[in-house]
Every structure is written in C-alpha cells, then in structure tokens.
Amino acid sequence: MFGKSTLLAALAASVLTLPAQDITEYVDIRPGTLPILLTVPHGGDLKPESILARRYGVTTKDANTAELSLMIIEEMQQQFGGAPHAIICRLHRSKVDCNRELAEATQGDPIATAAWQRFHGAATEIRKQITQRFGSGLTLDLHGHRHVDPRVELGYLIPGTQLNNSDAALNTDGRFKSMSSIHELARRSPLNFAELLRGPQSLGALLEARDYHSIPSPSKPSPGTAIYFSGSYTILAHGSRDSGSISAIQIECPWEGVRDTEANQRSFAKAFTAAVGEYFGLHFQYPLGPVKK
Ligand SMILES: [Zn+2]
C-alpha cells in the first residue's frame, strides 16, 4: 500500500527528473480561436532543482490563478463557441517571473531563460495571428493580490498616483492615453479616456454590474493612497502602448470571493467571461466568437 506521502514524494521526484531542456512542460501553451490571449505568469508550482532559485524580486505565487484560468477557458468556450489562446507558466515564481523583463525574471539561469522565451515568444506569435485574422484583439493578464480592499484591480499601466487625477486631466493630457496598455483602443474609441478607464462602459463597470467590486470603475475611480497594481511587463510587451492593435489589461483578482474556493472561482469565471464579451461588443464593434462577423 502506498501512503499519500509516498505517492506525493514519487510525484515530486518525477517532476525533478524531467529533462532539463523539456521547457514545454514548464510553459503550457493552449492555442485558441478567439481574438483573446489569456496569460497566467504567476500560477505555477513546479520547482525543478535544475533551475536556480531567484535571488531578488517577488517570489510568491498567485494561488489558484492557473485553476481559475482553466475555468475562464471553459466559460469562453461555452459562452462564445471558441477558446481564448492561453499561456500558463507552470514554474513557480521562485524559479522564473514571466511578468518581469528578462534579467529580473530569470537572473541568468539558462533553463528559466528558455521558459521565459517560450512564454513571450508564444505571446508574440499569437498576437500576430490574432491581428491577421481579426485586425485587433485583447490580452488579459491574470493575477492574484491580497490587498486589504478585496476588489478586482484592473491595470492599464496608469499608476495609482496618476489615476488620482481628475477626469478632465486624464482627458486633456495626451500622455495618459499614450502610456496605457489600451493605447490603440483609446485612439479609435469615440469615448474619452477617463470613460474608457472608469466610465459606465469600462471593464470595471461591467464587472461591478455583475457584483464584483473593481477599480478603476464608476464606484471607485482611483485608489487614493491605497496600494493598487497598475500592470507590469506582460501588458507592456503584449498590449498596444508602443505599437500594434492588441490592447492589454492586467486582471488582479482578490482572494476572498474570487480565488478562495472552487465555487467562487467558477462564479467569477462565468461573470468575468460575460463582462469580457460585453466589453468586446462595446469596444471592438463585433461580437466575440471564433470568426469575425
Ligand atoms: Zn501576479
């Protein structure tokens, strides 16, 4: 009879003896058919001994975000008849951080570097495919936070200190639009920039309509002095700040009510998927589906 601990030890050993070059195990790439790229850099558990531990930067994982992403894929399949493209890092954040630039992400480790390149190489390739097929699209970068205020934090590369500006300031100073990860969407939208970030048609409003408190949103337009995550490398590299027509939003999920139980993950996946569908109809002018209609 194998006890549970024996079985776990055997499983752990099998992970540790994976070939060092077998980076396909470390970055799970799931091709889809929708004009959406779902990235999950911090949900991994694997800690192969062949990769050196990172020596600086954040090394804690975003618990249950990989699980949540699989439910979002299922919900999109159900609600839109097609799956998003998805890239899920299976390595623990103590081994690689795919939401940082290469030097901080891998700290020189060659296998971590190969995993990081697989993650971002795939994202670049998928963005090209989406652009060719649909003309535009959206990267959604999924994370988890444990801030005191359990809201969904939506990151557009606009730091909290800047979000504290008035709508008038956000609209008149063109720098805000051009520093954001939805730059292309903002350029072609008939809405002004503050409306896109926190008006009634913002993603925050569409999530709040489904009972998930969010920031920025009409009810909580800016963080004030509270900690708020505005996004990092993934939405910078795979959004439209500098070029292209794939915009990006970082989705930081609170623990309570969203990531904590399977039932809550499922409810959030359903609501989030519906909100993204509505967002698409509003800002991309065609219904979300595997074929552009
Ligand atoms: Zn994260």
Side-chain angles (χ1 to χ4, degrees):
M1 262 301 272
F2 285 109
K4 195 178 172 193
S5 59
T6 317
L7 183 63
L8 288 175
L11 281 172
S14 74
V15 168
L16 294 178
T17 53
L18 274 176
Q21 279 74 31
D22 199 356
I23 59 155
T24 56
E25 295 286 332
Y26 299 156
V27 178
D28 182 2
I29 299 171
R30 298 176 175 231
T33 51
L34 298 176
I36 289 189
L37 167 60
L38 183 63
T39 48
V40 192
H42 294 158
D45 282 317
L46 299 177
K47 296 180 180 178
E49 280 180 347
S50 53
I51 301 179
L52 285 175
R54 295 171 65 239
R55 298 172 300 285
Y56 61 90
V58 180
T59 56
T60 47
K61 71 175 279 196
D62 293 350
N64 293 348
T65 51
E67 293 80 350
L68 179 59
S69 72
L70 298 182
M71 292 189 195
I72 292 171
I73 294 169
E74 286 170 10
E75 290 299 328
M76 288 197 175
Q77 185 78 54
Q78 270 194 353
Q79 294 186 33
F80 310 130
H85 301 265
I87 305 174
I88 305 167
C89 183
R90 296 292 183 186
L91 287 172
H92 191 272
R93 199 177 181 182
S94 60
K95 298 292 186 177
V96 69
D97 186 341
C98 287
N99 196 30
R100 293 293 182 274
E101 47 75 36
L102 183 63
E104 182 182 343
T106 66
Q107 301 180 12
D109 185 276
I111 302 174
T113 298
W116 186 95
Q117 286 168 339
R118 176 172 161 83
F119 188 102
H120 290 289
T124 301
E125 193 49 46
I126 288 166
R127 283 189 295 120
K128 269 190 217 155
Q129 281 180 29
I130 292 175
T131 305
Q132 279 169 6
R133 188 155 181 201
F134 294 90
S136 60
L138 197 57
T139 297
L140 299 166
D141 190 39
L142 192 67
H143 293 264
H145 74 81
R146 288 178 185 257
H147 298 157
V148 177
D149 189 1
R151 286 173 190 269
V152 181
E153 298 182 4
L154 302 169
Y156 301 91
L157 294 177
I158 311 287
T161 48
Q162 313 278 12
L163 269 187
N164 288 335
N165 278 296
S166 66
D167 285 358
L170 288 172
N171 292 335
T172 50
D173 187 339
R175 277 181 311 161
F176 294 116
K177 198 185 276 191
S178 55
M179 77 198 292
S180 86
S181 54
I182 57 166
H183 186 192
E184 190 271 341
L185 193 162
R187 265 202 316 259
R188 63 179 166 74
S189 175
L191 301 180
N192 65 47
F193 192 51
E195 285 175 318
L196 278 178
L197 293 176
R198 57 201 185 191
Q201 298 187 19
S202 64
L203 186 57
L206 303 179
L207 284 170
E208 294 218 326
R210 293 167 174 84
D211 294 329
Y212 288 95
H213 292 303
S214 300
I215 176 172
S217 69
S219 79
K220 183 78 177 169
S222 63
T225 55
I227 298 176
Y228 153 79
F229 288 147
S230 59
S232 191
Y233 184 82
T234 307
I235 67 165
L236 174 57
H238 304 295
S240 64
R241 188 190 77 167
D242 297 330
S243 64
S245 52
I246 308 292
S247 286
I249 306 174
Q250 178 171 285
I251 316 294
E252 282 276 357
C253 298
W255 177 252
E256 300 87 19
V258 175
R259 289 184 292 137
D260 51 358
T261 68
E262 262 188 57
N264 286 340
Q265 290 161 26
R266 178 62 67 182
S267 300
F268 179 75
K270 265 190 213 304
F272 176 73
T273 296
V276 169
E278 194 178 346
Y279 189 81
F280 227 84
L282 288 167
H283 302 293
F284 291 81
Q285 288 83 42
Y286 61 93
L288 202 44
V291 180
K292 187 170 179 177
K293 287 178 189 142

